[in-house]
Amino acid sequence: MTIKDTLLYLGKATLFGLIMAAMFLLVTRYFDNQSLGSSLLQTRANNTVELSFAKAVRRAAPAVVNIYSLSIDQNRPLNSGSLQGLGSGVIMSKEGYILTNYHVIKKADEIVVALQDGRKFTSEVVGFDPETDLSVLKIEGDNLPIVPVNLDSPPQVGDVVLAIGNPYNLGQTITQGIISATGRNGLSSGYLDFLQTDAAINAGNSGGALIDTNGSLIGINTAAFQVGEEGGGHGINFAIPIKLAHSIMGKLIKNGRVIRGALGISGEPINPVIAQILNLPDLKGVVIMGVDPNGPAARAQLMPRDVIIKYDGEDVPGVEMLMDRIAETTPGKKVMMTVIRQGKQQELPVIIDEKVVVDN
């Protein structure tokens, strides 16, 4: 066999292999799409195929509960009390832990949880966190429905979602929309990283479930955008991502509260004007604008116009990262802060305090 024949043979074998690989990928993708569609496409009795989210709803809806406040007439205390609808909640575990919004149960004296199967339970408040507007309740019951949870695949803009709750105390209701945006913060304390959706979230939906088309929980419904006193209805609604909510739930179950660190400063990101005024080499870091005179920063002699460039040895790219690291630091821990002061770099040790939670 000549060299030409050998090259021709190898070329044909290589081409055949590439063609087979391409066909395999096409077939695999086809069946993947078929399996994806099968969960959304339902065959009706008349053999017509329609788009449906019924399977997703059946997986998640039983675990979404209605939350009521039990009010007793003080003039007739022996009579049975009446239930006032407060909002919704989601059963997260077989032990009976329920996630809801703090503002849902904030003013309730006695809380009653109603399941979709007709059962009602009185519940105890395990803990709450006003900073993230989350609360954990607990009920005692057998064979409790549990919502599927998706912690590994963060929602993306354009994903179809369903909101489940008890709007206006009408009973469980499903609304549908998409994820309009992610990372919407600045609406609360800065600890939140909201999902924005156009799925309707009305009064009573708060604390309910935001699920994907597989029926997995991806967020806790919390608020609708309002302008003045006109209420919602703008198609701009918000949910707390389940990864954050799940983390807060674990801390509330463990400690009854969320323990956060505090430094006692207010800061702003570096912009070109500030960088020029303070003679900074780049735009990384956080410039201190104010210092609490009774806080850890003041005791460590941090001052306004200091620029924090490292926190506990980690570079500080901006305000959000710094505030997250401070909040995650165990109170009482000594942390080294690298700052630029008057053009010179220096390190200052700071002992972090516990953040005082202000309940508005």
Side-chain angles (χ1 to χ4, degrees), residues 154-289:
Q156 300 180 41
V157 174
D159 286 353
V160 174
V161 292
L162 308 171
I164 309 177
N166 180 25
Y168 304 110
N169 201 27
L170 294 173
Q172 191 174 89
T173 302
I174 318 295
T175 56
Q176 178 261 330
I178 63 169
I179 295 292
S180 308
T182 60
R184 292 298 199 214
N185 52 26
L187 302 171
S188 180
S189 62
Y191 292 105
L192 293 182
D193 187 21
F194 284 104
L195 301 175
Q196 181 182 323
T197 176
D198 62 348
I201 298 176
N202 298 301
N205 274 109
S206 293
L210 188 72
I211 65 172
D212 61 21
T213 53
N214 291 317
S216 296
L217 183 68
I218 62 170
I220 299 296
N221 302 325
T222 188
F225 180 73
Q226 298 185 11
V227 178
E229 300 296 326
E230 67 181 58
H234 302 280
I236 303 175
N237 306 291
F238 300 98
I240 302 168
I242 189 54
K243 194 165 186 178
L244 172 61
H246 195 270
S247 173
I248 295 297
M249 180 182 73
K251 294 175 181 178
L252 292 176
I253 292 172
K254 181 179 180 181
N255 301 310
R257 60 193 177 97
V258 178
I259 300 173
R260 295 186 176 91
L263 181 58
I265 64 165
S266 60
E268 291 187 0
I270 307 298
N271 58 46
V273 175
I274 292 176
Q276 185 175 4
I277 293 173
L278 299 180
N279 191 27
L280 302 176
D282 52 44
L283 302 182
K284 295 179 181 178
V286 174
V287 60
I288 297 176
M289 305 302 293

Side-chain angles (χ1 to χ4, degrees), residues 323-358:
M323 294 307 173
D324 283 344
R325 295 296 182 272
I326 294 170
E328 293 164 2
T329 302
T330 303
K333 180 181 178 180
K334 180 186 287 187
V335 174
M336 293 303 299
M337 309 277 291
T338 304
V339 303
I340 296 177
R341 178 180 295 172
Q342 297 179 349
K344 296 181 180 179
Q345 183 172 310
Q346 57 182 290
E347 292 192 350
L348 297 172
V350 183
I351 297 177
I352 299 298
D353 277 357
E354 182 176 346
K355 180 178 177 62
V356 177
V357 177
V358 179

